[in-house]
Amino acid sequence: MSSDELWSIGELAERAGATVKTVRFYSDRGLLPEAGRSSGGHRRYGPDALDRLRLIRSLRALDLPVPEVERVLDRDEALEEVVSGQLREVTSQLASLRWREASLRLIRDCAPGERADRLRLLGAVALPPDTAALARFWRRMLPVRLPARLVTTVLDSVVPRPPEEPSPAQVLAFARLHELVSDPRLDSPEFRPTPPLPAGEYRPAVLYEGLAEAYELAASSMAVHGEAAMHGQAAAHGEAPTHSEAVVRGEAAVQGDALDCFIAAYAQALGAPDTPAFRRRLVGLLARHDGPVIHRYWKLATGLFAPGEPVLGALHHHLSVALHAQVEARSA
């Protein structure tokens, strides 16, 4: 192009629908290619600069920071990486806003006498919340000799992911759960949850691998049994089951293979045969483990798991209740 066909900063700005200040800013950062200079030393631009300026403005319209825009302009393949990073950031911001909205609704709708306590609870939780405190709680509970892969499996099962669109009730449950696991009294022996079996007397990897299989069987059985029972209840009465009915159904659903697998996990971990005497002993061990801290943890956490997602605490409870009922029936 001849010098007569090139554009000044003002002409480029006009063609792009931008301000002269904007064009000068990007030009000073080296983002707009100059096609030459005027006799007076002023910058001149051609069509390449216009295309580049339009691309820059499109990227900035997506709220990409200028350094990220520079990365995209330097390397074509950087666009996907930059966009993915921005999507993660936007997702986090949206989650934070949803939790903030639910938190505000929680405070607005509660009784005046409850607001101070709820504000205290909410003030201890970041937005969006993370599960680091919950994971630390369970790591302290797990045996030190447990293989890392099993630790990861357990944490994935017992630590609920914060809902993306929480209700006020879920926000409150998470805040109370966070307070529970962060209680400094848990460092004291009288408050610390009891291990599942006496320390040093069992093989942790054998126990947790066996329990994982038992919980999987129980979840499958409860899904099938529960759906059939719910349909039957609805057809007969047109109403949802009560809590006691749900417990009875859960107990019935985990009988058979799931319960036998559950008991076998403890027996094999202890190196003991599965006998009626062992089952009676196991009832006592399970009752010792199911203390107030663990009970409250699962009471608060259950509503935070996604619909249809197996809740390990509920599965463990139904298996324990089924074992207790079986032992009592055989002793009668």
Side-chain angles (χ1 to χ4, degrees):
M1 297 178 65
S2 67
S3 59
D4 293 338
E5 296 175 308
L6 298 179
W7 309 316
S8 66
I9 280 184
E11 290 169 333
L12 176 60
E14 184 178 358
R15 288 175 179 271
T19 65
V20 171
K21 182 178 179 180
T22 296
V23 176
R24 182 172 287 111
F25 172 79
Y26 292 129
S27 187
D28 288 343
R29 293 185 70 102
L31 299 183
L32 296 177
E34 294 181 20
R37 293 270 176 162
S38 69
S39 57
H42 298 294
R43 298 164 180 167
R44 289 292 183 264
Y45 303 91
D48 289 346
L50 179 59
D51 292 340
R52 177 68 69 91
L53 182 55
R54 285 171 173 166
L55 174 59
I56 291 171
R57 299 193 70 203
S58 295
L59 294 172
R60 292 290 290 140
L62 295 174
D63 209 24
L64 267 64
V66 173
E68 297 292 83
V69 171
E70 291 176 331
R71 287 180 58 199
V72 173
L73 297 178
D74 287 341
R75 294 188 300 114
D76 291 339
E77 60 272 21
L79 178 59
E80 183 175 351
E81 179 183 336
V82 168
V83 169
S84 296
Q86 288 297 302
L87 277 173
R88 288 191 295 271
E89 183 176 335
V90 169
T91 299
S92 177
Q93 291 171 350
L94 287 174
S96 179
L97 286 172
R98 292 184 183 116
W99 275 80
R100 181 184 175 193
E101 178 189 22
S103 299
L104 290 169
R105 291 182 184 276
L106 176 67
I107 299 302
R108 182 195 65 184
D109 297 339
C110 73
E114 298 176 326
R115 285 176 180 159
D117 184 59
R118 292 190 176 184
L119 284 169
R120 177 187 60 80
L121 286 170
L122 296 177
V125 180
L127 293 180
D130 63 55
T131 56
L134 278 63
R136 285 195 298 271
F137 168 78
W138 282 103
R139 286 184 183 278
R140 286 187 296 175
M141 293 269 294
L142 295 174
V144 294
R145 293 174 293 156
L146 197 64
R149 61 179 177 81
L150 284 177
V151 171
T152 299
T153 299
V154 172
L155 293 180
D156 287 344
S157 301
V158 299
V159 176
R161 291 179 295 276
E164 292 183 359
E165 298 186 16
S167 66
Q170 288 176 317
V171 167
L172 181 60
F174 191 92
R176 285 175 171 165
L177 189 62
H178 186 274
E179 179 187 49
L180 174 69
V181 301
S182 303
D183 192 333
R185 292 179 298 175
L186 292 178
D187 294 326
S188 305
E190 62 269 27
F191 285 98
R192 188 179 301 123
T194 306
L197 290 176
E201 297 183 16
Y202 73 105
R203 294 175 291 172
V206 173
L207 174 63
Y208 284 91
E209 285 177 345
L211 287 178
E213 183 180 352
Y215 295 146
E216 185 176 351
L217 288 171
S220 298
S221 297
M222 288 189 67
V224 174
H225 189 93
E227 184 176 353
M230 287 289 286
H231 285 312
Q233 175 77 20
H237 305 291
E239 56 188 25
T242 64
H243 174 71
S244 59
E245 289 171 335
V247 170
V248 171
R249 290 174 182 173
E251 176 190 330
V254 298
Q255 295 284 357
D257 291 345
L259 181 58
D260 288 342
C261 185
F262 179 70
I263 296 165
Y266 285 95
Q268 292 168 10
L270 286 164
D274 179 4
T275 63
F278 175 79
R279 294 193 175 207
R280 288 194 296 273
R281 178 192 173 196
L282 184 56
V283 168
L285 289 172
L286 294 175
R288 174 173 170 265
H289 174 57
D290 189 19
V293 173
I294 295 297
H295 178 75
R296 180 156 176 77
Y297 180 95
W298 286 115
K299 183 176 181 180
L300 293 170
T302 297
L304 296 170
F305 286 90
E309 184 178 3
V311 179
L312 187 147
L315 298 175
H316 185 90
H317 174 71
H318 288 308
L319 286 162
S320 299
V321 170
L323 171 62
H324 188 272
Q326 184 187 86
V327 168
E328 281 197 338
R330 292 178 178 177
S331 300

